[in-house]
Amino acid sequence: MVERNIKYLDNISLDEIKGFGEKRLSSFKKYGINNISNLLRFFPRKHIDRSQISKISSITSEISKEITILGEVTDVSVFTTKTRLRIATLIIKDDTGLIRAKWFGPQYIETRFKKDDSVAISGIPDVKKTGSIEFKNATIEKFSDLEELNETGSLIPIYPKIEGLSSTIIRKGIKEALRRTPKMEDFVTNKELSEYKITDRTSSYKNIHFPETIKDYEEARNRLAFDEFLYLQSIFKEIKETYSKKQTGIKHSINKDTLNYFGEKIPFDLTKSQKKVINEIFKDMSNEFPMKRLLQGDVGSGKTIVAAAAVYATINSLHQAVLMAPTEVLAEQHFTSLSQILIFNDIEIHLLTSSVTDRDKIMQTINEGIPALIIGTHALIQDNVKFKNLGLAIIDEQQRFGVEQRKKLTSDLKDTPHQLVMTATPIPRTAALAIYGDLDLSVIDELPPGRKSINSILLEGRTEDTEEIYKTCEKHLENNSQIFVVCPFIEESEKLDIKAAENVYKQYKEKFKNYRVEILHGKISSDEKEEIMKNMNTNNIDILISTVVIEVGIDIPNASLMIIESAERFGLNQLHQLRGRVGRGEKKSDCIFHITDGKDMETITEVGNKRLKAIVENNDGFKLSEIDLQIRGEGKVTGTSQSGMSDLKIADIRYDYDILQLSKKYFENNITSKNNALIQEEAKILFPNFGKVEDST
Ligand code: ADP
Ligand code: MG
């Protein structure tokens, strides 16, 4: 049998498919479907399971999974509520009864269906107390003739809407395309197919459309997702190779003793994980190809000391190092703690933020290429800052910076410095970055020893809740511990944020007269900020009220209580970051998530409600990040994304983590120049835009 590949199919125009007239062809073309390969890769958005077809009379309130009804439309109506929400209603009957189906929002169901249409409607039925049955935002399909249903297998594919084409026509076209593709070329050998427990491409392209069982469909989907991850890896490998050939990096002199010596000089023992990532970084840095590495570790996992090791190695081999942080407060803190950590090596360290006035000495150091560490904020990427001898650029909390800002730090330099970007925002986003972007990944997956887990408390907005908070404060204060109170950010206005923080500040000052209460926000001068952080560090402040400026990075081991005001407004990763500000020392720590006064779990938004439940139930940033994506992803109705040609079509980095891992394993172990050539060829045809955008942050 002749094997076909994507390149071949990409050259067969749709015109060659029987039964497609001008009008239909132009509808397809408008949607970007021009050839057989495009058509085969126009994936169904779902399947109707024929075995789940029910008669209306058999629906009971016990049914909690999706069923399908075949019937006829008997009435179409539309209604707009006072809040301008459009509700379209269809009444559908079969020979045993009738149901009502409603769609909320502008889906224009009423223009697509009329009385007497034969339809299949799928969804989870809602049986009212009165016995009437309702479907909400169900999937609905028109069937011109029910005969067609009998030609299809037990799972009927339903396609995304294309203006001017029914699913029936699309199905016919795809069947014809499949008929012309009796066998697909496969870059995975039969032996590898069984080793990796994946299915072949010929059956995958058939079963993604016309599977016999759900299992067939899933296997097909997994294989096609596996391939998409291979495309990504193959393209990024190529990009990386060209990049490292083009750029000349700096070979630092690092040997075994470098880490040993560093390890001896710091105040604690490095965790196994920290040692592992430092070794990865050192290995990269002793190579002339510039490192581009993403260091990921949950809040409090100890990324700073890893950065310090890299800085030490850089300066030790007589180069400059720079560390850029997203806020002044954080830059100052890094300045303080790195000065302490690196004190043993007599390293020159400077702080450069927009509020540093005495710049001459710093500029001289930078311009003359004197080996030193420069720590700062965006001020580091101003035009007049020109490093002469930069060997390492570190970016902390990289999710806070744009790609351009990151690039600016290292562009214009003849020798490309090694780059280390650090983040606490965990996989799967990071996994995406690591393969979408051309970064290598290092992960710290353990916390330093002796960490006590943080007790999370959820409180609502009643008066008793506020009393409870004050009581908890008393307890911590009596224990000579420090407290953070973080105030909500109110929409986009910094002014309102500050006002809210000032109100809270007044309340606490009033309530805790015998304690030192301070306030920190964006409009406070940097001298004062520095003073406040110093006082916080030396336990000269008991309660620090602040806007979200302390969200990232701040490290005060004696702080054991975090109170987050209007917690329902914060994102899940942000809540986790904030909670991570406590539980850093020996003391047992609490974090209170406080809902806005007057509100409770019932009256806040559904998303807010879910986020709060998730944060009190989970302590693991990895897990939380996944939940966050799920919460956000819920708005998405379809299973596969069809948007934009540069996106993956079938694989979803958020949910297909296992397939990604499998695909990575294959790419590492089984790739040959021959199959890589095939993969690349396909990747470039199917995803011409891959790699053109560096990454999506
Ligand atoms: P993050 O990864 O969130 O940036 P930090 O680097 O600020 O975390 O580290 C958090 C705290 O843990 C700091 O007080 C740091 O001194 C401490 N720490 C880091 N590594 C270790 C270790 N191996 N043993 C003990 N404490 C550590
Ligand atoms: Mg940090």
Side-chain angles (χ1 to χ4, degrees):
M1 216 181 288
V2 206
E3 290 195 349
R4 302 301 191 201
N5 60 22
I6 292 285
K7 187 176 171 199
Y8 176 86
L9 298 172
D10 206 64
N11 283 321
I12 309 179
S13 153
L14 270 198
D15 309 6
E16 293 194 23
I17 291 207
K18 274 184 283 180
F20 279 9
E22 275 306 307
K23 241 180 93 201
R24 283 176 183 167
L25 285 174
S26 87
S27 295
F28 272 118
K29 282 180 183 160
K30 255 189 235 146
Y31 209 84
I33 300 173
N34 299 306
N35 56 47
I36 305 241
S37 143
N38 295 157
L39 189 59
L40 282 182
R41 290 184 58 84
F42 183 62
F43 299 124
R45 83 192 146 90
K46 67 179 287 168
H47 286 86
I48 292 181
D49 187 350
R50 202 193 260 284
S51 69
Q52 298 303 320
I53 292 179
S54 312
K55 287 289 180 193
I56 291 175
S57 60
S58 70
I59 298 177
T60 65
S61 55
E62 262 96 76
I63 297 177
S64 59
K65 62 175 194 215
E66 187 172 281
I67 57 161
T68 297
I69 302 287
L70 299 180
E72 258 168 38
V73 177
T74 64
D75 187 60
V76 181
S77 63
V78 67
F79 171 75
T80 308
T81 65
K82 261 194 238 139
T83 55
R84 313 202 115 241
L85 177 67
R86 268 174 92 86
I87 305 176
T89 305
L90 299 189
I91 311 274
I92 294 161
K93 71 159 202 252
D94 69 4
D95 48 12
T96 69
L98 58 81
I99 55 132
R100 191 180 300 271
K102 289 186 173 167
W103 286 264
F104 300 85
Q107 304 182 33
Y108 302 101
I109 291 285
E110 70 280 7
T111 63
R112 287 169 34 206
F113 296 91
K114 56 182 194 309
K115 192 167 177 306
D116 298 333
D117 279 348
S118 300
V119 293
I121 174 164
S122 312
I124 302 171
D126 181 13
V127 182
K128 307 263 170 202
K129 284 207 186 78
T130 57
S132 68
I133 301 164
E134 202 171 283
F135 283 78
K136 290 197 182 80
N137 291 324
T139 308
I140 183 164
E141 262 292 290
K142 210 183 291 189
F143 284 100
S144 43
D145 53 302
L146 285 173
E147 228 168 79
E148 191 219 334
L149 270 186
N150 299 325
E151 283 172 27
T152 322
S154 54
L155 290 159
I156 307 156
I158 306 296
Y159 292 92
K161 189 93 199 96
I162 295 185
E163 204 49 50
L165 294 173
S166 66
S167 268
T168 309
I169 295 297
I170 298 173
R171 278 192 287 269
K172 277 200 178 123
I174 289 173
K175 272 190 192 151
E176 177 61 19
L178 282 169
R179 206 185 54 76
R180 300 189 54 144
T181 321
K183 191 149 172 51
M184 285 285 271
E185 184 179 59
D186 204 332
F187 34 75
V188 179
T189 65
N190 285 337
K191 193 166 149 267
E192 290 163 351
L193 286 176
S194 56
E195 185 190 336
Y196 282 82
K197 299 195 178 60
I198 48 174
T199 194
D200 66 279
R201 301 225 307 167
T202 310
S203 6
S204 297
Y205 272 100
K206 177 189 164 286
N207 289 341
I208 194 78
H209 296 285
F210 302 107
E212 279 305 317
T213 61
I214 302 271
K215 190 164 163 273
D216 286 350
Y217 171 78
E218 279 166 357
E219 284 175 3
R221 199 195 152 279
N222 286 352
R223 172 60 207 269
L224 297 179
F226 178 91
D227 286 2
E228 287 190 345
F229 287 132
L230 288 183
Y231 299 150
L232 272 181
Q233 292 173 85
S234 168
I235 288 193
F236 279 107
K237 183 163 174 251
E238 196 194 21
I239 293 174
K240 243 187 244 177
E241 278 166 1
T242 359
Y243 165 84
S244 51
K245 259 183 229 139
K246 258 206 302 243
Q247 276 162 304
T248 41
I250 300 151
K251 211 168 158 162
H252 291 301
S253 45
I254 297 174
N255 57 35
K256 261 214 222 100
D257 295 336
T258 317
L259 179 55
N260 290 343
Y261 184 73
F262 178 81
E264 272 167 28
K265 296 292 178 185
I266 55 169
F268 42 70
D269 293 334
L270 292 167
T271 63
K272 233 165 105 193
S273 227
Q274 284 169 327
K275 276 190 200 148
K276 183 193 74 193
V277 304
I278 294 175
N279 275 320
E280 287 165 354
I281 291 166
F282 279 7
K283 193 165 160 230
D284 284 0
M285 290 195 356
S286 31
N287 203 310
E288 70 243 40
F289 297 139
M291 165 173 83
K292 269 189 143 187
R293 189 168 278 281
L294 179 67
L295 172 60
Q296 191 239 304
D298 205 350
V299 200
S301 60
K303 295 185 287 294
T304 313
I305 196 80
V306 173
V311 167
Y312 164 69
T314 303
I315 296 183
N316 211 28
S317 84
L318 302 179
H319 285 89
Q320 297 176 320
V322 61
L323 190 162
M324 184 161 80
T327 64
E328 268 188 38
V329 172
L330 192 53
E332 277 159 20
Q333 178 189 285
H334 276 316
F335 179 71
T336 315
S337 56
L338 287 169
S339 301
Q340 278 162 14
I341 295 171
L342 295 169
I343 202 160
F344 68 91
N345 200 37
D346 195 22
I347 283 172
E348 198 178 313
I349 303 183
H350 298 282
L351 180 67
L352 183 65
T353 63
S354 49
S355 47
V356 170
T357 44
D358 181 19
R359 299 187 165 212
D360 292 353
K361 170 86 174 71
I362 304 178
M363 285 305 180
Q364 195 187 348
T365 304
I366 292 177
N367 293 335
E368 289 180 3
I370 297 168
L373 166 64
I374 317 291
I375 296 172
T377 52
H378 300 85
L380 291 167
I381 46 178
Q382 244 80 92
D383 288 337
N384 55 349
V385 184
K386 292 258 180 290
F387 288 94
K388 193 163 170 223
N389 179 23
L390 191 60
L392 172 70
I394 303 174
I395 292 158
D396 193 19
E397 307 294 348
Q398 67 84 26
Q399 73 280 4
R400 292 299 197 87
F401 291 101
V403 181
E404 287 311 312
Q405 290 172 317
R406 241 166 54 194
K407 274 195 194 141
K408 211 161 168 211
L409 194 56
T410 56
S411 58
D412 308 339
L413 293 165
K414 191 171 106 305
D415 295 325
T416 311
H418 298 288
Q419 267 185 65
L420 179 67
V421 293
M422 310 201 287
T423 184
T425 304
I427 297 165
R429 177 112 182 277
T430 313
L433 248 181
I435 57 167
Y436 271 116
D438 46 354
L439 300 165
D440 290 312
L441 180 65
S442 284
V443 182
I444 306 184
D445 52 11
E446 66 184 321
L447 295 178
R451 284 288 158 82
K452 307 235 165 45
S453 71
I454 305 160
N455 180 31
S456 293
I457 305 161
L458 179 61
L459 291 174
E460 298 180 316
R462 296 163 306 188
T463 327
E464 328 58 298
D465 294 312
T466 309
E467 289 305 321
E468 178 75 32
I469 291 178
Y470 290 153
K471 255 193 257 154
T472 314
C473 287
E474 296 280 5
K475 234 174 45 203
H476 284 264
L477 292 168
E478 277 161 20
N479 193 19
N480 193 25
S481 299
Q482 291 161 276
I483 300 174
F484 285 118
V485 184
V486 174
C487 300
F489 53 117
I490 296 160
E491 275 147 22
E492 301 295 284
S493 157
E494 199 186 353
K495 250 202 204 136
L496 287 175
D497 282 5
I498 294 173
K499 191 143 184 287
E502 275 165 354
N503 284 336
V504 174
Y505 174 59
K506 267 188 221 137
Q507 282 166 29
Y508 275 82
K509 237 181 141 62
E510 180 64 32
K511 183 81 198 167
F512 298 99
K513 287 209 175 76
N514 300 328
Y515 291 95
R516 293 152 302 178
V517 184
E518 272 297 344
I519 181 166
L520 187 67
H521 57 64
K523 284 279 137 59
I524 282 179
S525 80
S526 10
D527 283 352
E528 272 178 275
K529 258 188 223 161
E530 202 178 328
E531 186 67 25
I532 290 173
M533 288 320 292
K534 215 181 269 158
N535 284 332
M536 205 54 196
N537 266 315
T538 49
N539 198 1
N540 281 318
I541 293 175
D542 299 302
I543 305 177
L544 182 64
I545 317 287
S546 79
T547 53
V548 284
V549 285
I550 64 152
E551 176 202 339
V552 291
I554 299 299
D555 186 36
I556 310 279
N558 189 48
S560 63
L561 173 61
M562 162 66 73
I563 300 161
I564 303 169
E565 294 293 340
S566 298
E568 77 277 9
R569 291 174 187 250
F570 291 85
L572 205 42
N573 283 325
Q574 220 176 0
L575 290 172
H576 181 61
Q577 274 272 355
L578 285 169
R579 177 171 56 190
R581 297 305 116 216
V582 294
R584 291 179 161 241
E586 289 300 302
K587 289 178 175 169
K588 181 99 193 71
S589 298
D590 294 317
C591 179
I592 298 179
F593 300 92
H594 187 205
I595 296 177
T596 305
D597 275 338
K599 296 200 171 174
D600 57 29
M601 286 297 266
E602 300 267 290
T603 52
I604 59 176
T605 62
E606 202 181 318
V607 171
N609 191 302
K610 283 187 184 159
R611 285 197 295 238
L612 289 177
K613 277 191 186 136
I615 191 79
V616 293
E617 282 167 16
N618 295 281
N619 234 326
D620 172 357
F622 181 102
K623 183 88 197 126
L624 283 168
S625 205
E626 277 179 349
I627 296 175
D628 190 40
L629 289 165
Q630 275 162 20
I631 294 176
R632 289 192 216 194
E634 266 172 23
K636 218 176 94 178
V637 205
T638 57
T640 54
S641 67
Q642 300 273 353
S643 62
M645 289 305 275
S646 70
D647 288 340
L648 296 176
K649 274 201 153 185
I650 264 250
D652 190 327
I653 220 119
R654 300 171 304 174
Y655 308 111
D656 294 327
Y657 193 65
D658 294 344
I659 302 172
L660 169 63
Q661 291 308 326
L662 195 69
S663 170
K664 279 188 135 168
K665 188 172 150 206
Y666 183 85
F667 197 77
E668 273 157 30
N669 301 322
N670 300 67
I671 225 67
T672 61
S673 54
K674 185 161 162 265
N675 62 11
N676 193 35
L678 289 172
I679 292 168
Q680 285 234 345
E681 179 182 85
E682 270 193 31
K684 283 175 183 166
I685 293 171
L686 297 176
F687 300 98
N689 295 327
F690 269 6
K692 290 200 178 140
V693 270
E694 194 198 20
D695 62 48
S696 54
T697 43

